[in-house]
């Protein structure tokens, strides 16, 4: 069994002030071309199809073209995708039963009633059955009727919710099983604060969405989405494939790609990264003004000027824009800052909770801190 593992297409996303429609269309067409060459038995997209719950007409058009091209390139393949935290789950769920007859499985909603279970698609090859469990992004409130609540009637944690939800599935251990999921999984014992996250990702205050990855051990492969940098969740068979296209300056220089998963007999899994080359790279170019101008290009560029003295150059911005037509930003390595009680280094990044707390010096009570965390997380989820 050979299948593609993709995730986090984020169609419609803007890179700072730049529309990426042309770049996304280019990279999706590249995926179609590679699919036509490799002929996978299935294509899996692990969430965040769109960047926004209500995508633009242009974004929908690009996605429609991608799915049409993919089905033409690999007409015998099953195409499976789930909703992520950026998607509108009900919208992804539309025409679910109709699309299944066309070998397209778009699963927007997780099971919500006790009699419902995770959507399962079963394929067959020379070694027997391969079961794909398609689990969209889950918030504890979505599945409260299934997993229950704590002794105070509150929602369970993300960790407990996912462990209970997946744990209730009757998984045939002698068959090959694949989980497709869009959550923040971390190896047991890992510090979530030290996990490398990209600027384009939505993060919760206090990492309340963390789920220990030991639950993934029930599966022969876990095709994960949500983290934008390619990485594993403690095992080479529990993988985040990352975005197919850089979504922020923090992803500059990353090699993006498709994970080709090849499953032989039970217990035999091989993965290969098929590289993707963007229409334009995302780059950070650092140096003095004269050094920077010599590196002009059409890539998406964040310019960092390292000149120690103040630049008294009237047409500086015009010269930089002429050298970099797809300029994202201009920054100075050393900045003058007014002292408002605390001086931050230019490269220091505060999370939202720390920033809000800095304006509330009397925030001492634990209940008040938890309330602030809840407010911030609620606002972020609604963005």
């Amino acid at each position: 069994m050979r299948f593609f593992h993709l995730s986090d297409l984020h169609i419609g996303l803007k890179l700072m002030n730049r529309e990426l429609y042309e770049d996304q269309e280019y990279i999706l067409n590249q995926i179609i071309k590679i699919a036509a060459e490799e002929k996978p038995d299935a294509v899996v997209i692990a969430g965040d199809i769109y960047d926004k719950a209500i995508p633009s007409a242009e974004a929908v058009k690009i996605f429609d073209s991608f799915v049409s091209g993919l089905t033409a390139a690999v007409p015998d393949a099953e195409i499976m995708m789930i909703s992520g935290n950026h998607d509108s789950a009900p919208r992804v769920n539309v025409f679910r039963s109709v699309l299944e007859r066309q070998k397209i499985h778009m699963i927007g909603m997780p099971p919500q009633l006790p009699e419902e279970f995770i959507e399962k698609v079963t394929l067959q090859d020379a070694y027997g059955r391969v079961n794909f469990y398609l689990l969209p992004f889950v918030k504890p409130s979505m599945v409260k009727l299934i997993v229950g609540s704590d002794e105070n009637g509150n929602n369970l944690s993300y960790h407990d919710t996912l462990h209970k939800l997946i744990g209730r599935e009757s998984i045939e251990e002698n068959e090959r099983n694949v989980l497709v999921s869009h959550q923040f999984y971390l190896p047991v014992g890992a510090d979530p604060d030290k996990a490398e996250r990209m600027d384009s990702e939505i993060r919760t205050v206090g990492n309340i969405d963390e789920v220990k990855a030991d639950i993934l051990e029930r599966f022969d492969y876990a095709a994960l989405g949500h983290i934008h940098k390619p990485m594993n969740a403690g095992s080479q068979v529990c993988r985040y494939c990352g975005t197919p296209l850089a979504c922020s300056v923090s992803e500059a220089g990353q090699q993006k790609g498709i994970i080709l998963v090849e499953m032989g007999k039970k217990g035999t899994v091989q993965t290969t990264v098929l590289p993707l080359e963007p229409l334009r790279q995302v780059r950070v170019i650092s140096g003095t003004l004269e050094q920077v101008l010599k590196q002009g290009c059409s890539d998406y560029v964040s310019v960092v000027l390292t000149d120690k003295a103040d630049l008294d150059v009237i047409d500086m911005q015009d010269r930089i824009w002429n050298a970099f037509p797809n300029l994202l930003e201009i920054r100075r390595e050393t900045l003058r800052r007014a002292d408002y009680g605390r001086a931050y280094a230019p490269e220091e990044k505060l999370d939202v909770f720390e920033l809000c707390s800095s304006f509330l010096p009397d925030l001492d009570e634990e209940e008040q801190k938890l309330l602030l965390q809840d407010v911030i997380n609620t606002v972020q989820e609604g963005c």
Side-chain angles (χ1 to χ4, degrees), residues 111 113-117 146 164-170 218:
L113 299 174
E115 63 270 21
E116 296 175 347
F117 290 87
I146 295 175
K164 281 196 170 188
L165 189 64
I166 295 173
R168 68 196 282 268
E169 295 290 323
S170 299
R218 300 185 68 188

Side-chain angles (χ1 to χ4, degrees), residues 91-111:
R91 283 184 172 85
V92 174
N93 223 53
V94 168
F95 305 126
R96 180 163 154 175
S97 60
V98 174
L99 291 172
E100 284 178 0
R101 298 197 289 269
Q102 307 301 319
K103 298 185 177 181
I104 300 173
H105 308 269
M106 291 182 63
I107 312 303
M109 302 293 293

